[in-house]
């Protein structure tokens, strides 16, 4: 019985290695290439840890980190859907749910249930932990675009107003002070000559 559990755990760990092959719209800070989803997950987890003081008092950073470790695993099957790109939201949601079902069910039942519950909580973005996790997930690409001269903002012809609407509202909901700081940096970027 224990061997079967270990086999399933190792199978899951091997399967999710594919996240390293999923390219995202965001480029690295040095603009040398696009980041992959595994790199994004690592960086957003580190952002949550470093920016934990931006969370509300009822946020458990340990739970946020667990959510962020898992949040993009579904991209193995569903792919990355850039926030500024065009896609069918309902079809994407269905593909991500199917991916979550397949991937988490590779694990032993108890771990599958626990991890799927964290993923579902993140997606619902209703708990304080999930709201903060979503905020940090939106901040990380902002940092990269500010560092690399506009990156995906240029690629997708994104305006400052679109960033405020598509990203700012989520960041402000979970980390209002952080959004105020980022909004000022974004405004300064768009006021400069390097703006898209």
């Amino acid at each position: 019985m224990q061997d079967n559990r270990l086999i399933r755990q190792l199978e899951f760990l091997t399967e999710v290695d594919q996240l390293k092959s999923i390219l995202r719209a965001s480029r690295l800070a040095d603009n040398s290439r696009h980041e992959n989803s595994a790199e994004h997950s690592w960086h957003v987890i580190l952002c949550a840890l470093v920016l934990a003081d931006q969370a509300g008092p009822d946020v458990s950073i340990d739970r946020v980190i667990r959510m962020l470790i898992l949040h993009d695993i579904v991209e193995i099957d569903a792919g990355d859907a850039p926030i500024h790109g065009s896609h069918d939201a309902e079809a994407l949601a269905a593909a991500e749910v199917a991916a979550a079902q397949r991937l988490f069910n590779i694990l032993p039942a108890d771990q599958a249930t626990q991890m799927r519950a964290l993923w579902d909580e993140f997606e619902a973005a209703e708990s304080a932990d999930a709201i903060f996790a979503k905020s940090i997930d939106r901040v990380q690409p902002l940092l990269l675009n500010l560092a690399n001269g506009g990156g995906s903002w240029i690629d997708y012809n994104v305006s400052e107003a679109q960033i405020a609407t598509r990203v700012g509202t989520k960041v402000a909901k979970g980390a209002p002070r952080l959004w105020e700081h980022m909004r000022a940096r974004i405004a300064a970027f768009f006021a400069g000559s390097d703006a898209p």
Side-chain angles (χ1 to χ4, degrees):
M1 184 70 167
Q2 186 64 19
D3 285 345
N4 184 53
R5 179 178 180 82
L6 182 58
I7 288 167
R8 292 182 73 172
Q9 289 168 329
L10 295 175
E11 181 183 348
F12 174 79
L13 293 172
T14 301
E15 187 72 9
V16 298
D17 184 70
Q18 292 180 67
L19 200 60
K20 297 173 186 173
S21 301
I22 307 301
L23 293 181
R24 294 173 48 84
S26 297
R27 295 189 199 132
L28 300 182
D30 70 1
N31 208 22
S32 62
R33 64 175 173 82
H34 290 269
E35 72 174 344
N36 66 49
S37 288
E39 292 167 328
H40 164 73
S41 293
W42 163 79
H43 197 206
V44 78
I45 290 163
L46 190 56
C47 289
L49 186 61
V50 170
L51 298 170
D53 60 352
Q54 299 297 314
D58 51 346
V59 172
S60 165
I61 293 302
D62 289 343
R63 290 192 79 250
V64 168
I65 288 171
R66 286 197 295 271
M67 283 181 203
L68 291 172
I69 288 169
L70 302 171
H71 82 289
D72 276 342
I73 283 177
V74 296
E75 291 182 4
I76 291 168
D77 291 354
D80 175 53
I83 193 164
H84 300 295
S86 61
H87 55 273
D88 180 336
E90 286 183 23
L92 177 62
E96 288 182 346
V97 167
Q101 185 73 14
R102 181 185 81 79
L103 291 162
F104 291 123
N105 282 336
I106 294 170
L107 287 162
D110 61 320
Q111 289 182 317
T113 299
Q114 292 167 4
M115 291 188 193
R116 176 62 191 269
L118 281 170
W119 183 83
D120 286 336
E121 183 180 345
F122 176 84
E123 288 300 307
E126 294 172 353
S127 70
D129 295 341
I131 291 167
F132 184 70
K134 285 273 189 184
S135 295
I136 296 301
D137 187 39
R138 296 294 188 258
V139 165
Q140 188 263 358
L142 297 176
L143 287 173
L144 294 181
N145 280 330
L146 287 167
N148 65 31
S152 63
W153 297 339
I154 295 169
D155 295 342
Y156 290 90
N157 196 29
V158 177
S159 69
E160 183 180 353
Q162 288 171 318
I163 294 168
T165 302
R166 297 174 184 169
V167 178
T169 53
K170 285 190 175 19
V171 177
K173 187 173 181 183
R177 257 186 342 133
L178 179 56
W179 173 242
E180 288 304 312
H181 177 81
M182 294 304 295
R183 185 173 66 174
R185 290 183 63 188
I186 292 163
F189 173 85
F190 277 86
S193 59
D194 293 328

